[in-house]
Amino acid sequence: MSFGRHQPLPALLAVPLLFSLFGCSMKEVAVNALANSLSEDGTSVYLSDDDPLLVAEALPFSLKMMESLLQSTPEHEGLLIATASGFVQYTHAFVLRPAIAVEAEDYDTAREGRARSKKLFLRANRYAKRAVEVRHPGAAQGLIHDLEATLAEFDRDDVPAMYWLAISLGSAISVDKSDMSLVADLPIVHGLIERALELDESWNDGAIHERLIALRSAPGSDGTDGEARSEYHFRRAMELNGGRSIGPLVAMAESVCIQQQNIGRFRTLLQQAIEFDVTAYPELRLPNTLAQQHAAWLITREEELFFSTVAASR
């Protein structure tokens, strides 16, 4: 540190004393400033990156740094949400997806990848629970014992924590459907997402609608058409993201089109995703690149996904 040439000597001598007296406070201020920066702007440098491999190698360090900061500021809501979302997105993109890709050729590797994915999703879930508890102490248990009453306590400011709590838990369930203790919590996932949609449907450029494409693809208990509901969420997600994200295209193809065995729509949606110019929206380059890669992989699996339909279409 450089001090001015004309700074009085007593002030210079006082600097070490000030740091000694206020060292803990200074550290707290610094930690909170860094936590604020990571939770508010820390993901932008990753989202705009054009090299998924570089991001895959860099993210673990960032996530561990965020965990370290949380030891000093354990109730920083923004950092808890950012840590939960970071673990979920890292796991989906760089742990689970590679495991699924090799499942047909190397089952043991895929099984290990799925097991690791489950652990990481549950780690994310613990941070998301802590984020919810910052504003609503006891909410995590409340969701288990009195779901409707607890959901009613949430407001619009809770949507980010609610979303990542639902997605982390839902992801862990999807990875291991044999774990009945997790499957039993599926109503919590649906409840959180439905309540988040009610509170702020446009949050994060339609991310809630994008998630509901798959979650609402089955017929409703009230007899509503699952395909129609998914179609609504697909259209709304594309409207809210302004056509800047191809995630809904891939989600619709992978969930509804396969479920309905609609190979024509499957091909159309994935081709649209593959032809999308990922450089058009630099702020979303990484997620669009990853979605594009997944779309290309899905097309290579047509014969596995559309048994009789593929043969009939040739």
Side-chain angles (χ1 to χ4, degrees), residues 178-244:
S178 66
D179 187 339
M180 300 313 295
S181 64
L182 279 179
V183 174
D185 288 335
L186 195 55
I188 296 175
V189 176
H190 287 277
L192 285 165
I193 288 292
E194 298 283 354
R195 178 63 173 150
L197 181 73
E198 179 185 331
L199 290 168
D200 188 2
E201 66 141 357
S202 64
W203 178 76
N204 201 17
D205 295 336
I208 300 170
H209 282 287
E210 182 175 339
R211 185 59 55 175
L212 283 168
I213 293 171
L215 282 179
R216 283 186 166 176
S217 60
S221 57
D222 57 356
T224 52
D225 182 0
E227 186 176 4
R229 295 191 306 171
S230 291
E231 185 68 34
Y232 165 74
H233 291 298
F234 166 67
R235 298 294 180 189
R236 195 73 184 111
M238 292 302 293
E239 288 172 6
L240 290 170
N241 74 42
R244 296 180 303 120

Side-chain angles (χ1 to χ4, degrees), residues 246 269-277 292-293 295-297 299:
I246 59 176
L269 290 171
L270 294 183
Q271 196 58 41
Q272 187 177 344
I274 290 170
E275 293 174 357
F276 184 83
D277 181 5
Q292 201 169 66
Q293 291 176 353
W297 177 74
I299 284 182

Side-chain angles (χ1 to χ4, degrees), residues 15-16 43 68 92 131 201 270:
V15 170
T43 60
S68 296
H92 270 293
E201 66 141 357
L270 294 183

Side-chain angles (χ1 to χ4, degrees), residues 92 96 114 121 167 169-177 182 186:
H92 270 293
L96 181 58
R114 283 180 173 275
F121 286 139
I167 301 311
L169 178 57
S171 297
I173 293 171
S174 69
V175 166
D176 185 4
K177 297 183 178 69
L182 279 179
L186 195 55

